[in-house]
Amino acid sequence: MTRRQRIDDLTTFVVPEQPALSPDGSQVVYVLRTSDADADAEVRTLWRVGVRDGEPQQLTRGQADAAPAWSPDGSNIAFLRAQDGPPQIWLLPAAGGEPEKLTALPLGAGAPLWSPDGSKLAFAAPVDQHAAAGDDDQARARRAGAPIETDRLDYQADGAGLLRTIRKHLHVLELDTRQCRPVTSGDWHAGDPAWSPGSDKLAFAAATAPDADLTARAPVYVLDVTGAPVEPELAGLADGIGGPVGWTPDATALLVVGTTGSPSGHNRLLRVPLDRSAVTDLAACLDRNVMPGGPGYPGALPQFSGDKQTVLFCVRDHGCTHVYSVPAAGGTPSPVVTGAGRNVLGVSVSGTMAAIVLATPTSFGEVVVVDLAAGSESVRTSHGASLAAVELFARQEREFTISDGTVVQGWLIRDPARGGQPRPLLLDIHGGPHNAWNGAADPVHLYHQELAARGWTVLLLNPRASDGYGEQFFTAALGRWGEADARDFLEPVDQLVAEGVADPARLAVAGYSYGGFMTCYLTSRDSRFAAAVAGGLVADLVSMAGTSDAGHFLSEYELAGQPRADPQRYTALSPLAQVGNVRTPTLLMHGTGDMRCPVGQAEQCTPRCASGACRPGWCSTRTPRICSSSTAGLHTGSTSTGAWSSGLSSTRVIRPDQAGHESTPPDGSAGSARWRNGTGYPALRWASCACGPAPGTNWSRQPTECSTPAPGSRRQRTRYSRSDPSPRSGQRRSSCNCSTRACSTSTRRSRTRYPSCG
């Protein structure tokens, strides 16, 4: 018998990633990601499976093993392991045995890359430029606590924090002597390296100019590593942005994912000749963004097939990452792995075979082997079998034609067995703004499945600026955040209300990162939503420009200039300027370690709400505000995971009508007041002055009017009866202290108090 997926399944996912195909094309090594619920941590180990037969076998038993790389002769596997400190490079015999630790760098090492002759490993690693030989932990701790002096804007980075004197530079490890040496230095960061076919040079991209923090330029360089340290030589893209780099087999050109000019628009697949002749965009005719891969943005590095004439690369199409091939000399790209709802999460190529991790509408991802000559696919793992009894609510594809003729793709997630009655609807907005939803199964946004199981409809939309629909669509919101795309959200919601899919009295909106910005933008300009969740949000574009690690470039290339050039324009686009108009109860979630969208963006909203229209209070014609803060967490760009299925769970959010009474409660959410989602987000701390029964509860009576209590009375109680069959069924009593604006909710077994957040 099958069941529906629920929030408790979050720590049971087993998902492969980072495939690495052996040089002879016979085996695939990959990383398997699981969860340790007790430690509240993800676990990554290395596994191996045959290309044509055999069952997967576990190779390592570390807690954080990643980035496997085969030696050219197939005898060893280099990989990263974080054990009692930062990640270091280890070496594992492919035939079996114990791994050997190769590096012991104070700040750790990056992903290893074998030289073609198998004698060396190259990698990028953080280096403290002020470190002295023989520095110990105490010396490093003193520097870490010293005052920061900077005359540049790039003094911080999301995921790394305050950089101080730390820079990322290239290293080479000689395997015969086990000696490791840095090969670049300077007040700049080197991109990941690529070996030349002759094993004598490295290519990489780097923003080395003194004004690189003000002007987006990251040319590509070539560095000879055979002798004494030398300066890198400029190889191309002097005015462009170089990303991941590779070499052509004849060593006459570099393959670069990047742009020839400013970073606005699509990434290109560029063939950059080393003789400085014209650069060729090999994927131009596709009009799609090239995807080299990264957190939240799946893809893979461009790689040559066995004929050394054909390049395999990834692009995003209608939200999904697909694989294409193209002649290295130029020509028309051909599809290799495509299809609606098929999302490629990693690629490794050897000879005529490719190993990929492929997610589908019914799978979070499995290792799939592709025969490039025959075009056939073979699924080689079944790690999702542990959830074989779980039936997912499918993402039903829709298209909505906006009033100006623009077509917006979307997906609905809902329980088809719930009948035709209008249901509560959550509009979930993706980040970016250049990210995108797709039709594949998604282990990150599990709350979509939880909500559907509770009777909700979830709406996912790819508005203007989303990736996978051409560059004109991709750039349609430049300088017009909110203005260009608000109707791409509101008009589809209107259509679903008109169709009887969504209940107009029970509409909610949520989003993280740019989705948090749009959530705040919509609620500051439209009152239709009964509740909202804004995570990692942007509220004030002016302060964002000066405090975000990418604020200067976001202003320059996404918002058409710095705030000082047009302050009125920035005010017009910022949700904070109209926060006094907000009538929607809103949960704000933010990580204090977020440097892309700093926590101050949420903090700026709090005093405005507390002193203005959205002051919390049960007894108010203006609805309560719901607040949240987290003690850690980086900006991941992912939507507010779990806030609806659990984070809002013990709080009742209600929209009052014009008379100041509470309207019919939406079919909301219920659960525990504290919640950890197992994916790196900390437990949330939040409060509200609005309590009530769980979703799916049959309300035996509507709440009475809550007004200022009579003299001598401090509390007004309302009893709700529940008739759902859940283990918590029974009587729930909710009360509100109208003088302190504090709520409590009690059942037969427990009582929980929620302090006011005003």
Coordinates of all heavy atoms in Angstrom, one line a residue, residues 344-386:
V344 N 19.2 17.2 -15.1 CA 20.5 16.6 -14.9 C 21.3 17.3 -13.8 O 21.5 18.6 -13.9 CB 21.3 16.7 -16.3 CG1 22.7 16.2 -16.1 CG2 20.5 15.9 -17.4
L345 N 21.8 16.6 -12.9 CA 22.4 17.1 -11.7 C 23.9 17.0 -11.7 O 24.6 17.4 -10.7 CB 21.8 16.5 -10.4 CG 20.3 16.5 -10.3 CD1 19.8 15.8 -9.1 CD2 19.7 17.9 -10.4
G346 N 24.5 16.3 -12.7 CA 25.9 16.1 -12.7 C 26.2 15.3 -13.9 O 25.4 14.4 -14.4
V347 N 27.4 15.5 -14.5 CA 27.9 14.8 -15.7 C 29.3 14.4 -15.7 O 30.1 15.3 -15.2 CB 27.6 15.6 -17.0 CG1 28.0 14.8 -18.3 CG2 26.1 16.0 -17.1
S348 N 29.7 13.2 -16.1 CA 31.1 12.8 -16.3 C 31.2 12.0 -17.6 O 30.4 11.1 -17.8 CB 31.6 12.0 -15.1 OG 32.9 11.6 -15.2
V349 N 32.2 12.4 -18.4 CA 32.3 11.8 -19.7 C 33.7 11.0 -19.8 O 34.7 11.5 -19.4 CB 32.2 12.8 -20.8 CG1 32.3 12.2 -22.2 CG2 30.9 13.6 -20.7
S350 N 33.6 9.9 -20.4 CA 34.8 9.1 -20.8 C 34.6 8.3 -22.0 O 33.7 7.4 -22.0 CB 35.3 8.2 -19.6 OG 36.4 7.5 -19.9
G351 N 35.3 8.5 -23.1 CA 35.2 7.8 -24.3 C 33.8 8.0 -24.9 O 33.4 9.2 -25.1
T352 N 33.1 7.0 -25.1 CA 31.7 7.1 -25.7 C 30.6 6.9 -24.7 O 29.5 6.8 -25.0 CB 31.5 6.0 -26.8 OG1 31.6 4.7 -26.2 CG2 32.6 6.1 -27.9
M353 N 31.0 7.0 -23.4 CA 30.0 6.9 -22.3 C 30.0 8.2 -21.5 O 31.0 8.9 -21.4 CB 30.4 5.7 -21.4 CG 30.6 4.4 -22.2 SD 29.1 3.8 -23.0 CE 28.1 3.3 -21.6
A354 N 28.8 8.4 -20.9 CA 28.7 9.5 -20.0 C 27.9 9.0 -18.8 O 26.9 8.2 -18.9 CB 27.9 10.7 -20.6
A355 N 28.3 9.4 -17.6 CA 27.5 9.1 -16.4 C 26.9 10.4 -15.9 O 27.6 11.4 -15.8 CB 28.5 8.5 -15.3
I356 N 25.6 10.3 -15.6 CA 24.9 11.5 -15.1 C 24.1 11.1 -13.9 O 23.9 9.9 -13.6 CB 24.0 12.0 -16.2 CG1 22.8 11.1 -16.5 CG2 24.7 12.4 -17.5 CD1 21.8 11.6 -17.5
V357 N 23.8 12.1 -13.1 CA 22.7 12.0 -12.1 C 21.5 12.6 -12.6 O 21.5 13.8 -13.0 CB 23.1 12.6 -10.7 CG1 22.0 12.5 -9.8 CG2 24.3 11.8 -10.2
L358 N 20.4 11.9 -12.7 CA 19.2 12.4 -13.4 C 18.0 12.3 -12.5 O 17.7 11.3 -11.9 CB 18.9 11.5 -14.6 CG 17.7 11.9 -15.5 CD1 17.9 13.3 -16.1 CD2 17.4 10.9 -16.6
A359 N 17.4 13.5 -12.2 CA 16.1 13.5 -11.5 C 15.0 13.6 -12.5 O 15.1 14.2 -13.5 CB 16.1 14.8 -10.6
T360 N 13.9 12.9 -12.1 CA 12.7 12.9 -12.9 C 11.5 13.2 -12.1 O 11.6 13.5 -10.9 CB 12.5 11.5 -13.5 OG1 12.2 10.6 -12.4 CG2 13.8 11.0 -14.2
P361 N 10.3 13.3 -12.7 CA 9.1 13.6 -11.9 C 8.8 12.6 -10.7 O 8.1 13.0 -9.8 CB 7.9 13.6 -12.9 CG 8.6 14.0 -14.2 CD 10.0 13.3 -14.1
T362 N 9.4 11.4 -10.8 CA 9.2 10.4 -9.8 C 10.4 10.0 -9.0 O 10.4 9.1 -8.2 CB 8.5 9.2 -10.4 OG1 9.4 8.6 -11.4 CG2 7.2 9.5 -11.0
S363 N 11.5 10.7 -9.3 CA 12.8 10.3 -8.7 C 13.6 11.6 -8.3 O 13.7 12.5 -9.1 CB 13.6 9.4 -9.6 OG 15.0 9.3 -9.1
F364 N 14.2 11.6 -7.1 CA 15.0 12.7 -6.7 C 16.4 12.6 -7.3 O 17.2 13.6 -7.3 CB 15.2 12.6 -5.2 CG 14.0 12.9 -4.4 CD1 13.6 12.1 -3.4 CD2 13.1 14.0 -4.7 CE1 12.4 12.3 -2.7 CE2 12.0 14.2 -4.0 CZ 11.6 13.4 -3.0
G365 N 16.7 11.5 -8.0 CA 18.0 11.4 -8.7 C 18.6 10.0 -8.6 O 18.6 9.4 -7.5
E366 N 19.0 9.4 -9.7 CA 19.8 8.2 -9.7 C 20.9 8.3 -10.7 O 20.9 9.2 -11.6 CB 18.9 7.0 -10.1 CG 17.7 6.7 -9.2 CD 18.1 6.2 -7.9 OE1 19.3 5.9 -7.6 OE2 17.2 6.1 -7.0
V367 N 21.9 7.5 -10.6 CA 23.0 7.4 -11.5 C 22.5 6.7 -12.8 O 22.0 5.6 -12.8 CB 24.2 6.7 -10.9 CG1 25.3 6.6 -12.0 CG2 24.8 7.4 -9.7
V368 N 22.7 7.4 -13.9 CA 22.3 6.9 -15.2 C 23.5 6.9 -16.1 O 24.2 7.9 -16.2 CB 21.1 7.7 -15.8 CG1 20.7 7.3 -17.2 CG2 19.9 7.7 -14.9
V369 N 23.7 5.9 -16.9 CA 24.8 5.8 -17.9 C 24.2 6.0 -19.3 O 23.2 5.4 -19.6 CB 25.5 4.4 -17.8 CG1 26.5 4.3 -18.9 CG2 26.2 4.3 -16.4
V370 N 24.8 6.9 -20.0 CA 24.4 7.2 -21.4 C 25.4 6.7 -22.4 O 26.6 7.1 -22.3 CB 24.1 8.7 -21.5 CG1 23.6 9.1 -22.9 CG2 23.2 9.3 -20.5
D371 N 25.0 5.9 -23.3 CA 25.8 5.5 -24.4 C 25.7 6.6 -25.5 O 24.7 6.7 -26.1 CB 25.4 4.1 -25.0 CG 26.3 3.6 -26.0 OD1 26.8 4.3 -26.9 OD2 26.6 2.3 -26.0
L372 N 26.8 7.3 -25.7 CA 26.7 8.5 -26.5 C 26.6 8.1 -28.0 O 26.1 8.9 -28.8 CB 28.0 9.4 -26.3 CG 28.2 9.9 -24.9 CD1 29.5 10.7 -24.8 CD2 27.0 10.8 -24.6
A373 N 27.1 6.9 -28.4 CA 27.0 6.5 -29.7 C 25.6 6.0 -30.1 O 25.0 6.3 -31.1 CB 28.0 5.4 -30.0
A374 N 25.0 5.2 -29.2 CA 23.7 4.6 -29.4 C 22.6 5.5 -28.9 O 21.4 5.4 -29.4 CB 23.6 3.3 -28.7
G375 N 22.9 6.4 -28.0 CA 21.8 7.3 -27.5 C 21.0 6.7 -26.4 O 19.9 7.2 -26.0
S376 N 21.4 5.5 -25.9 CA 20.6 4.8 -25.0 C 21.0 5.2 -23.5 O 22.1 5.7 -23.3 CB 20.8 3.2 -25.1 OG 22.2 2.9 -25.0
E377 N 20.0 4.9 -22.6 CA 20.3 5.2 -21.2 C 20.0 4.0 -20.4 O 19.1 3.2 -20.6 CB 19.3 6.4 -20.7 CG 19.5 7.7 -21.5 CD 18.5 8.7 -21.0 OE1 17.7 8.4 -20.0 OE2 18.4 9.8 -21.6
S378 N 20.8 3.9 -19.3 CA 20.7 2.7 -18.4 C 20.7 3.2 -16.9 O 21.7 3.9 -16.6 CB 21.7 1.7 -18.6 OG 21.7 0.7 -17.7
V379 N 19.7 3.0 -16.2 CA 19.7 3.4 -14.8 C 20.5 2.4 -13.9 O 20.2 1.3 -13.9 CB 18.2 3.5 -14.2 CG1 18.2 4.0 -12.8 CG2 17.4 4.5 -15.1
R380 N 21.5 2.9 -13.2 CA 22.4 2.0 -12.6 C 22.3 2.0 -11.1 O 23.0 1.2 -10.4 CB 23.9 2.4 -13.0 CG 24.2 2.2 -14.4 CD 24.0 0.7 -14.9 NE 24.8 -0.2 -14.1 CZ 24.3 -1.2 -13.4 NH1 23.0 -1.5 -13.5 NH2 25.1 -2.0 -12.7
T381 N 21.5 2.8 -10.5 CA 21.3 2.8 -9.0 C 19.8 2.8 -8.7 O 19.0 3.2 -9.6 CB 22.0 3.9 -8.3 OG1 21.4 5.2 -8.8 CG2 23.5 3.9 -8.6
S382 N 19.5 2.5 -7.5 CA 18.0 2.5 -7.1 C 18.0 3.0 -5.6 O 17.4 2.3 -4.8 CB 17.4 1.1 -7.2 OG 18.1 0.1 -6.5
H383 N 18.7 4.0 -5.3 CA 18.8 4.5 -4.0 C 17.4 5.0 -3.5 O 17.2 5.1 -2.3 CB 19.8 5.6 -3.8 CG 21.2 5.1 -4.0 ND1 21.8 4.2 -3.2 CD2 22.2 5.3 -5.0 CE1 23.0 3.9 -3.6 NE2 23.3 4.5 -4.7
G384 N 16.6 5.4 -4.4 CA 15.2 5.9 -4.0 C 14.3 4.8 -3.6 O 13.1 5.0 -3.3
A385 N 14.7 3.5 -3.7 CA 13.9 2.4 -3.4 C 13.4 2.4 -2.0 O 12.3 1.8 -1.7 CB 14.6 1.1 -3.7
S386 N 14.1 3.1 -1.1 CA 13.7 3.1 0.3 C 12.4 3.8 0.5 O 11.7 3.7 1.5 CB 14.8 3.8 1.2 OG 15.0 5.1 0.7

